[in-house]
Every structure is written in C-alpha cells, then in structure tokens.
Amino acid sequence: MKAFANMHPAVSMLYFLSVLLVCMFIPHPVLQAEALLGGALFCAALQKRGAALRDLGFYLPLFLMVAVVNPLFSHNGVTPLFFLNENPVTLEALLYGVSLAVMVIGVLLWCKAYNEIMTSDKFLYLFGKLIPKLSLVLSMALRFIPTYLRQSRRVSRAQKAMGLYAGKSITDRVKNRMRVLAAMISWSLENAMETSASMKARGYGKKGRTNFSLFRFRASDGVLLAICICLLAVPLIGAAVGITDFMYYPRVGVIQTTPAAIAVYAAFGTLSVLPFILEVKEAIVWNYSVSKI
Amino acid sequence: MELFRVENLSFRYPKAERDALQEINLSVQNGEFIVLCGASGCGKTTLLRLLKKELAPVGEKTGRILYAGAPQEALTNAGEIGFVQQNPESQIVTDKVWHELAFGLENMGLPTETIRRRVGEMASFFGMQGWFRQKTDALSGGQKQLLNLASVMVMQPKLLILDEPTGQLDPIAAADFIATLQKINRELGLTILLAEHRLEEVFPIADRVLVLENGRILLDDEPRKIGLRLSKLHCDHPIMLHALPGAVRIWQGLHIDDTCPLTVREGREFLERHFENRAETLPEPEVPRIGETAVELKNVWFRYEKDAPDVLRGVSAKVYRGEIFCMLGGNGVGKTTALNVLAGLDKPYRGKVLVGGKPIKDYKGGTLYRRGLALLPQNPETVFVKDTVRADLAEILEVMEIPRSEHAAQIEKIAEKLGIVHLLDRHPFDISGGEQQKSALAKVLLSEPKILLLDEPTKGIDAFAKSNLREILRKLKRDGMTIVLVTHDVEFAAETADRCAFVFDGEILSADPPQKFFAENSFYTTAANRMARGLWKNAVTCEQVIEGCRTTGGQL
C-alpha cells in the first residue's frame, strides 16, 4: 500500500490540510460522515487487517463516549427524550453529540494517516525550503543523537568494568552519571571539531548552497494536485454561500438536497475517499501485472 | 603533469619548541599513488592538512605550496582536493546515506538534477545501492568509511588525501577499503596521497613511498628500494623493524642479493629460490606448565534480546593463571561479547562464568573489579572522564582507598612503567591513539587487577606502539598477571600470545600455542607463515622465518 505515500510531499501535505480543514471547520453532518468514512477506509488500507480490527476496539468506545457525554451535560434543544435526575436529555443534544463524535474520530483517523504518510524526512523537505539552514541542522541533530547515546553507553560500561562507582547505591549512580556527562561534553566538542573539519573540507560555508532531496514532482503529482484543488474549491464555495450551514439548536435543521448541495457532498465525498481509491487502484494494477508474469 | 609542488616547506605550531615540518620538498605527479609513512607524531597529519587549505593548521609557515602551477590559495573549489580522516564516525554530517553523498554538492550550489545524477553514479560505483536510503547510524565501520570516501569522490576531486583511513577498521574492512582505493587509482586515474601505518597491503600497490621522520622527509623512493635504503640508513629504524610488509622484513633480515619481494607470493618465490625445501619443522618452545585456572567459561549462552539470535552458543574455555590468552576470529563471531561476559558486563542466560573458581554472580558491588579483574575497552577514549591524564589516574586511586599522600608516588610509578610521564598533564583527547592506549592501560592497571581483559588493543595504533604494547604485556605477565585479549591482528597474536583460540559462530573452536595454532591454519595465519609454509610449517613470525633460514635452511 504505497500509492499515496509515494506522492510528492507537497501534494500529500496539501491534501491532508484540506481534508482536516473542511472536517473541522464546516460542521455539516454529511461532510463529517464523508470525512469519517474516507479516513476509516484509508487507515484500513494502510494497515494490516488485524491492526485495523484492533483499532476498531479503540475508536468504537471513544465514539460512544463522546456521543453520550454531550447530551448528559448539555440540555439545550426542544425535543426532550426522557429525564435524568430531573434534567431533560434532548434529541438535539444527542444528535450534536453524535456529530461531535463523528468529527473527533474522523480527525483522529486522518491524523493517524498523516503520521503514517508524512515521515520526518518529508516534513523536513517541505519546511527546509522555507528555512534552508533548518533542514541541515535537523538532519545533523538526527545524526548526532544516536551517536551520542552509543558513546555514552560505551563510556559508562568502560567505567563500570574498571570498578569505578560500579555499586548499586544511589550516590554511586548519581556520581557515575555526573562523571559520564562531563566526559561526554569533552567528547562532543572533540567530535564536533572533526565533523566541522569534514564539512569545511567539502566546501561548507560558501554562498548559494542548495538543498537536495530524493523527492520528484511527477506528472501524476500535478494531476492529483489539480484534482484536489478543484474538489476542495466546491465545498469552500458551498460554505461561503451558505449551503453547508447547519443548526442543531434549538431544533435540528434540514439537510439541503438542492443540486448545488448534492454537488458539494459529491465533491467532498470524492476528495475524502481519493487516497483509498488510489490504494485500491494500485493493488489492482499490481495484481494484474503479477498475473501476467 | 605536475599536480602539486611543495618547496622548502617548514611549519611550526604556536608556542611549540621545534618545527613540526622542516624543509619539505615534494612533487606529486598526476595519477600517482603515494604512500606516506612514519611513526605517529612525525608530522604526517600536519603535512597532509597543510596541502588542503581549508584544513590547514594555524602556525608559522614558510616555503611554498603550488597546486597545478599556481599558489595553493588561488584554488577556490574545495571539491578539487578530497580529504578523508581517520575516524569514520565523526566525519559523517547528516543522518541519511543519500543526504551525506549529496552534502558536498549542495555546498557547491549545484541544481537538484545534477546532484541526483552524480550521487547515483557514485553510489553504483561503490556498490552502495543496498544501503542508499539507510540511516548513516545503522552502517558498519567499514561502510561508514566507504561512505566518507564516496561523499568526497562525488565532488570529482583531482587529488585524494587520506589520513590513516583504515586505522579504526578491522583487517577485512581495511583490505576492502584499500582495494577500493586501488580501483579508483587504476580505473579513474585519480592521484592518491595516503598516510598509513599498516603497510602490508599498500606497499605492493604504491608507486612511491615517502618516509617521514621528525618532520623531515627521510626517504622518497619506489617501494622496492625503500627496504634497502632504510637498512643502509640505520637498521633499528622503528618503521623498518615493525611496519614494513613481512616479505620486505624477511628479505632485509637475510641480506641476500636479489630484488626485494613485496607480496606474499613474491616472498614465497624468493624463499624457494634461495632455500631448499626440507619441509622440516622448527623446534617449538616448551609448552608452559599448566597452572591453576584463573577464569573459566562453562557452556555459556548469550543473546542481546529475547528474540535476537544467540551470539554465544555454548562457549567453554579455560584461561590459566599467568598466561596471555588470545581470542581470534572475524567480525561478529562473538569475540567481544565473550570478553564482555567474562568482564561481568553482559549476563549469560545459561552457563557459568567462574573467576578465580568463584561464580561471577557472587562478586557483589565493586568487589569483582577492585584487585580482581579489569577490562580495557576497544575505544580507549571511553576510559577518560577528567581533564588531564593525571586527574584520571588520581581518581581511580581515590576509589581504591589509597591515602592521598601516596597518590603522586603511585602515579609516577605507573607512568614510568608505561612510559607516559610526559603525557600526565595533557588532556586525554589531545594525545595520539597509541598514547591514549597506554594511558588508558595505566588507569586500568591502577585498580591492581589480577586478570586483565583487552578488547582489540592494537586498533588504530602504529607498529612502533604495537611492539611497545607487546613489551608491556610481557612485563605484566612476568609479574604474574593473567591476560585475555581479543584481536583481529594475527601478527600481534602470533608474537604475543601463549595460547590462541579461534572463535567462530558463537563458539571457541580450538586453543593452542601460536606456532601449533597457525601451522594448522592455511588462510587465517600470518603473512610470514604463508610465505614459509613450504619450508617450515610452524614458522609463524618473521623472526622465526629468518632464524630458520639461518640455522636449518640449506641455502642454494
């Protein structure tokens, strides 16, 4: 399941932002349901079957909890269903709770997919363009941390094997930590000298440094980008002209079914299931090409 | 065409008493492979760094350095002279292999498409496809050094300068690295200037050898003539005694009028030409009397994680009191792990470790390590935690509860024994690898161990420091210490150990005195043994071969 992950980071980033934006800021039941559906399908496609089922065990209780909590605490609305401790539990509050739960779970699922797709190097690539030094600094930090940890482990083992503060008492342990830390500071400085020599030797510090990355902007990225923009534009326009306005209080509103409204639902629906469609298409193409071999 | 020209170059570090380099004259032709050798501290690194202007040390410089006919300062493209340092770890700048390859090209401001092509080209030349997208941290030492070389090569240099690049590598990775250098020189015609102290592999492939001594160029000649000229100068020159390839040393020792052999093959042919094949064995020294057992491993099993494969699979071994026991073997066979288990750093999940007849588990707190057992790790710099060698030594005396009034005398005594008196007030990170090794050993010895464990003690130190270490170990043995060492260095083991053991696949296979041990191996043995096998199966060191030729060899 690699189709969407192989897209250019800028396209993926724009895609995630647009889905999350609509899902969070246009509180319309159809759009939220579509976002939830798309998120669930995408996450299921990204994971192995077992993991997706296990996720269900986490999201279902969360869904019920969020849905139930709202009507217990909010008593707005005009249609009481029953009374709990002399407080009315209303239909409107219940429905609002359900819509809130749909939104929360939808956002969570999309964030999970985001984490899976937007790995640190893609993030670095995108924001390295804005601040060129940042991406190098972060890359160097990512290099330095494991090296430092390994060396500090070596030092404390070496100290232990000489019998220096090898005891289990707290004073021994604290003393040992302090000594190792002191040694690691000198080591880091020494190491940094050699690293900077290696950087200078390769011409670091001249003007006009470029940023290289392995990502390519392919024609398919362009197509996907255009589709995303078009599909995003429809619900945004819809929201601007009031098609997606929806009220829960005091009385639940009506879901519009005008042709314009249907177009908005269809556009956003397509947008949210787009990655899933891509993954399925990829799987079919793969199976087909395997069958030909 | 002349690429580099050094005229009357002298250099002095600030506040130094004497010149680090004196009157250096050197000319480097395009396409040459030049090897620079000399004891540590002879000025090799200073000379190499002066040739690379971005890395030139600060100090007083006289004389001229010309690059392609123009003063060195005129060169603006840093990529034209590539420089690789000794430590594979600290030269890597970024976290991913591909990014490291691209680093120099990014600095040159090249567009993405050009970088992509050059990086791809270099990665396939060096066979890096398999680990192109990996994290640099996950690479082995040999791969790291190859990456350092490739990320310099990607900038298309005209001259490659390498400062002891194989010092931190095991022999197999080192041989691979040297073979890659030879390929670069042959196939791309690139000029190479290489400082090395392991000459066995580089001597046969070099066009010229420069011998540096005390900041002067002592000799500058082709490899075959170096041996002869060195012995004419003075026959106890440290390089001549220990660093030259086995074939050259045997040739020198025999004083026979013939061309100097460089490789094992040439050495064997040379011996066969001049000595009769009697297939006798040399007399072996008496096997030392077997004393009490000092440490013992009994059917030890170990793995690092629950689901990881076993690193040790039923290791059993006995080390006797007062012997030097040496564990040999390739990479990742479990040598170091076995040593760590002996040192009590790693706990086996099955089997027993006995130290002085007592299970290692029964030593509580620091009792195992005080006046008991001590480990000198592979990286001697991990031993130091203070700002001077003296402070580090004092620290361990403190822990040993020795009264403060005796500290100075004790430190003086150990420093004299190991020859590090002049280093006591230096920062441990400012001294050379061999000096670090000795200082670390001093610190370890102050805990008065009865059993000393050493992990790869010859890594990164030159031939002179090696023979120095050998003397120290022999002296310690005479004082009754038991020494266990783990090494890749076949030559060192042959000359130092009382018994050698071969470790493979998590087991210790055999343990024999070196002459018997190496006589039974046909690949995993010393260069001298490979040359003289046809004459004396159990001649293991160069000295033994020379001795054999003189006494029982029938000269033709």
Side-chain angles (χ1 to χ4, degrees):
Chain A
M1 291 304 167
K2 281 275 176 95
F4 196 75
N6 285 343
M7 287 293 167
H8 194 268
V11 178
S12 327
M13 193 67 173
L14 183 98
Y15 177 79
F16 280 115
L17 283 182
S18 50
V19 172
L20 284 170
L21 194 85
V22 171
C23 182
M24 285 197 283
F25 295 108
I26 309 182
H28 188 273
V30 175
L31 299 189
Q32 285 172 344
E34 284 171 341
L36 177 67
L37 179 74
L41 286 175
F42 190 21
C43 282
L46 286 176
Q47 286 173 317
K48 292 201 180 88
R49 207 154 290 163
L53 280 177
R54 239 177 293 134
D55 273 7
L56 205 65
F58 170 72
Y59 289 114
L60 213 59
L62 187 69
F63 183 91
L64 291 176
M65 210 176 76
V66 178
V68 167
V69 162
N70 186 57
L72 289 184
F73 292 95
S74 160
H75 308 295
N76 294 338
V78 294
T79 329
L81 294 173
F82 55 89
F83 284 84
L84 200 69
N85 292 342
E86 297 175 10
N87 281 320
V89 173
T90 64
L91 176 69
E92 288 79 10
L94 183 67
L95 287 178
Y96 186 70
V98 170
S99 110
L100 208 62
V102 168
M103 186 188 90
V104 168
I105 305 288
V107 168
L108 280 179
L109 286 172
W110 281 108
C111 287
K112 188 181 163 74
Y114 171 91
N115 253 337
E116 200 89 348
I117 302 282
M118 298 301 287
T119 47
S120 64
D121 51 332
K122 290 187 186 175
F123 186 82
L124 277 186
Y125 164 73
L126 286 175
F127 291 92
K129 293 243 154 166
L130 302 179
I131 315 163
K133 282 261 162 61
L134 182 73
S135 81
L136 180 65
V137 168
L138 284 175
S139 175
M140 287 175 69
L142 286 175
R143 156 93 193 116
F144 180 73
I145 292 163
T147 321
Y148 178 92
L149 291 177
R150 184 166 341 116
Q151 181 72 9
S152 95
R153 197 166 151 264
R154 275 185 197 153
V155 172
S156 54
R157 275 167 75 99
Q159 300 301 318
K160 192 186 160 201
M162 287 188 302
L164 285 168
Y165 307 102
K168 288 209 163 88
S169 72
I170 290 182
T171 42
D172 264 17
R173 278 199 214 163
V174 169
K175 268 190 185 167
N176 193 37
R177 286 275 164 78
M178 296 302 292
R179 296 166 62 250
V180 172
L181 187 69
M184 287 307 294
I185 291 171
S186 341
W187 176 84
S188 304
L189 292 175
E190 191 70 18
N191 198 53
M193 295 251 291
E194 282 177 40
T195 310
S196 83
S198 156
M199 290 169 76
K200 267 193 282 177
R202 284 186 278 161
Y204 181 74
K206 276 195 214 155
K207 275 191 182 155
R209 190 174 193 280
T210 50
N211 264 309
F212 174 68
S213 80
L214 290 177
F215 303 111
R216 264 171 195 281
F217 197 88
R218 295 185 174 83
S220 58
D221 291 310
V223 172
L224 188 69
L225 184 66
I227 294 176
C228 284
I229 291 172
C230 295
L231 290 178
L232 176 65
V234 179
L236 288 185
I237 295 167
V241 298
I243 294 175
T244 57
D245 289 351
F246 191 81
M247 290 303 202
Y248 288 93
Y249 302 121
R251 202 180 293 277
V252 177
V254 183
I255 295 172
Q256 290 193 32
T257 50
T258 56
I262 301 274
V264 169
Y265 307 148
F268 187 68
T270 319
L271 186 68
S272 4
V273 293
L274 203 59
F276 178 70
I277 294 172
L278 281 175
E279 299 294 348
V280 170
K281 191 191 120 215
E282 177 98 338
I284 292 171
V285 169
W286 168 251
N287 283 336
Y288 180 65
S289 63
V290 166
S291 71
K292 274 206 296 194
I293 296 171
Chain B
M1 193 196 99
E2 190 174 57
L3 194 63
F4 240 111
R5 179 168 200 87
V6 178
E7 287 172 357
N8 293 324
L9 177 70
S10 294
F11 183 80
R12 183 188 289 240
Y13 283 100
K15 291 183 200 157
E17 282 160 20
R18 59 184 190 87
D19 287 351
L21 292 175
Q22 297 172 40
E23 302 284 311
I24 300 280
N25 283 296
L26 174 66
S27 157
V28 178
Q29 300 297 316
N30 215 350
E32 270 189 308
F33 192 129
I34 301 179
V35 170
L36 183 63
C37 59
S40 32
C42 69
K44 288 193 299 262
T45 300
T46 312
L47 176 60
L48 293 183
R49 288 198 164 222
L50 280 171
L51 296 183
K52 171 92 182 156
K53 80 174 181 199
E54 288 84 2
L55 301 183
V58 180
E60 208 178 300
K61 187 177 97 176
T62 56
R64 289 205 303 166
I65 302 176
L66 299 174
Y67 175 77
Q72 179 194 31
E73 287 73 25
L75 178 68
T76 50
N77 179 2
E80 231 167 89
I81 300 173
F83 198 99
V84 178
Q85 310 171 67
Q86 184 181 38
N87 188 341
E89 193 88 47
S90 60
Q91 290 174 76
I92 295 178
V93 177
T94 64
D95 63 330
K96 292 276 172 71
V97 170
W98 60 264
H99 197 179
E100 188 65 23
L101 284 172
F103 179 76
L105 302 173
E106 290 181 324
N107 292 339
M108 289 162 80
L110 295 179
T112 299
E113 277 315 307
T114 318
I115 297 184
R116 195 184 297 276
R117 202 184 59 237
R118 285 222 212 156
V119 162
E121 190 190 34
M122 235 356 104
S124 55
F125 183 81
F126 283 95
M128 298 165 74
Q129 295 94 332
W131 34 287
F132 184 64
R133 281 173 188 262
Q134 270 193 24
K135 285 189 177 169
T136 48
D137 188 53
L139 306 179
S140 71
Q143 284 176 323
K144 278 181 185 153
Q145 199 62 306
L146 211 57
L147 172 62
N148 287 324
L149 178 61
S151 35
V152 162
M153 284 298 296
V154 85
M155 300 174 77
Q156 304 182 338
K158 296 219 171 72
L159 170 70
L160 200 54
I161 301 177
L162 304 105
D163 190 5
E164 301 193 353
T166 66
Q168 302 289 320
L169 307 184
D170 65 78
I172 297 153
D176 272 356
F177 190 83
I178 300 289
T180 311
L181 286 183
Q182 190 183 11
K183 183 178 164 192
I184 290 173
N185 179 252
R186 288 249 174 98
E187 293 181 9
L188 310 177
L190 190 69
T191 318
I192 293 180
L193 187 51
L194 167 72
E196 251 307 343
H197 51 243
R198 283 208 310 219
L199 300 173
E200 195 76 47
E201 284 108 0
V202 295
F203 230 67
I205 58 174
D207 295 313
R208 257 165 72 199
V209 175
L210 294 178
V211 180
L212 224 63
E213 190 184 52
N214 295 331
R216 285 175 185 279
I217 292 185
L218 187 68
L219 294 174
D220 176 359
D221 213 331
E222 53 185 279
R224 277 185 211 281
K225 293 193 181 141
I226 287 288
L228 185 67
R229 289 186 58 186
L230 259 179
S231 53
K232 274 185 185 158
L233 276 171
H234 40 167
C235 55
D236 55 348
H237 192 273
I239 293 224
M240 198 191 101
L241 284 177
H242 309 288
L244 291 177
V248 181
R249 281 162 66 190
I250 290 175
W251 174 81
Q252 275 179 337
L254 291 171
H255 302 292
I256 288 174
D257 191 22
D258 197 347
T259 48
C260 172
L262 292 181
T263 60
V264 167
R265 196 182 83 182
E266 288 174 6
R268 177 145 68 192
E269 286 163 1
F270 165 79
L271 285 175
E272 278 167 4
R273 231 178 0 253
H274 295 283
F275 294 94
E276 211 174 346
N277 184 354
R278 293 186 183 172
E280 279 181 20
T281 51
L282 289 178
E284 288 183 24
E286 278 174 45
V287 180
R289 144 196 87 78
I290 288 172
E292 327 165 39
T293 311
V295 276
E296 184 173 4
L297 293 170
K298 265 190 184 168
N299 188 29
V300 166
W301 292 71
F302 178 81
R303 56 184 161 218
Y304 282 98
E305 275 157 45
K306 195 169 165 241
D307 300 326
D310 285 315
V311 185
L312 301 180
R313 312 159 181 269
V315 170
S316 296
K318 272 185 186 175
V319 180
Y320 301 109
R321 185 148 291 167
E323 73 168 346
I324 301 182
F325 184 82
C326 186
M327 290 195 267
L328 290 149
N331 260 338
V333 292
K335 298 187 309 276
T336 295
T337 312
L339 202 67
N340 286 341
V341 166
L342 267 182
L345 287 174
D346 289 326
K347 308 258 178 298
Y349 70 91
R350 196 186 298 159
K352 266 188 191 165
V353 184
L354 302 172
V355 176
K358 193 168 139 188
I360 202 165
K361 280 180 283 192
D362 296 352
Y363 291 90
K364 297 280 182 248
T367 50
L368 174 64
Y369 303 114
R370 277 169 217 169
R371 298 185 179 85
L373 179 150
L375 170 72
L376 181 65
Q378 208 174 105
N379 309 80
E381 84 268 9
T382 57
V383 166
F384 306 106
V385 290
K386 300 280 172 172
D387 289 339
T388 61
V389 175
R390 190 189 295 279
D392 256 302
L393 298 182
E395 181 200 45
I396 202 154
L397 291 174
E398 188 92 9
V399 174
M400 295 295 292
E401 287 159 9
I402 285 165
R404 213 159 262 197
S405 52
E406 288 174 30
H407 281 191
Q410 288 257 16
I411 291 174
E412 212 59 37
K413 200 174 131 203
I414 192 85
E416 227 153 80
K417 195 169 171 187
L418 298 184
I420 54 165
V421 179
H422 59 294
L423 304 173
L424 282 176
D425 294 308
R426 303 270 296 274
H427 193 286
F429 287 173
D430 284 344
I431 57 184
S432 79
E435 292 169 337
Q436 257 183 8
Q437 182 90 45
K438 280 193 278 183
S439 311
L441 188 59
K443 186 168 177 186
V444 168
L445 288 179
L446 283 180
S447 70
E448 299 171 32
K450 295 191 183 71
I451 301 157
L452 178 64
L453 311 176
L454 301 128
D455 192 0
E456 296 284 0
T458 61
K459 191 172 168 184
I461 66 176
D462 67 11
F464 182 66
K466 231 188 252 186
S467 71
N468 212 319
L469 178 69
R470 181 164 47 241
E471 287 315 310
I472 292 170
L473 293 184
R474 285 192 183 143
K475 214 187 285 172
L476 292 172
K477 184 191 132 183
R478 275 201 297 278
D479 297 345
M481 197 176 287
T482 309
I483 299 169
V484 181
L485 60 101
V486 151
T487 184
H488 280 292
D489 192 330
V490 182
E491 262 76 21
F492 186 76
E495 291 174 7
T496 315
D498 291 316
R499 283 195 305 148
C500 294
F502 191 65
V503 186
F504 180 72
D505 195 28
E507 281 183 85
I508 291 184
L509 299 183
S510 62
D512 284 307
Q515 277 193 293
K516 184 158 180 272
F517 178 84
F518 289 112
E520 281 172 17
N521 293 352
S522 53
F523 306 105
Y524 203 83
T525 179
T526 60
N529 184 243
R530 275 175 278 156
M531 273 178 261
R533 288 188 82 73
L535 296 166
W536 305 278
K537 211 167 175 235
N538 62 349
V540 173
T541 63
C542 291
E543 286 73 31
Q544 284 166 355
V545 174
I546 295 169
E547 187 61 28
C549 288
R550 285 208 183 121
T551 53
T552 55
Q555 193 165 353
L556 298 173

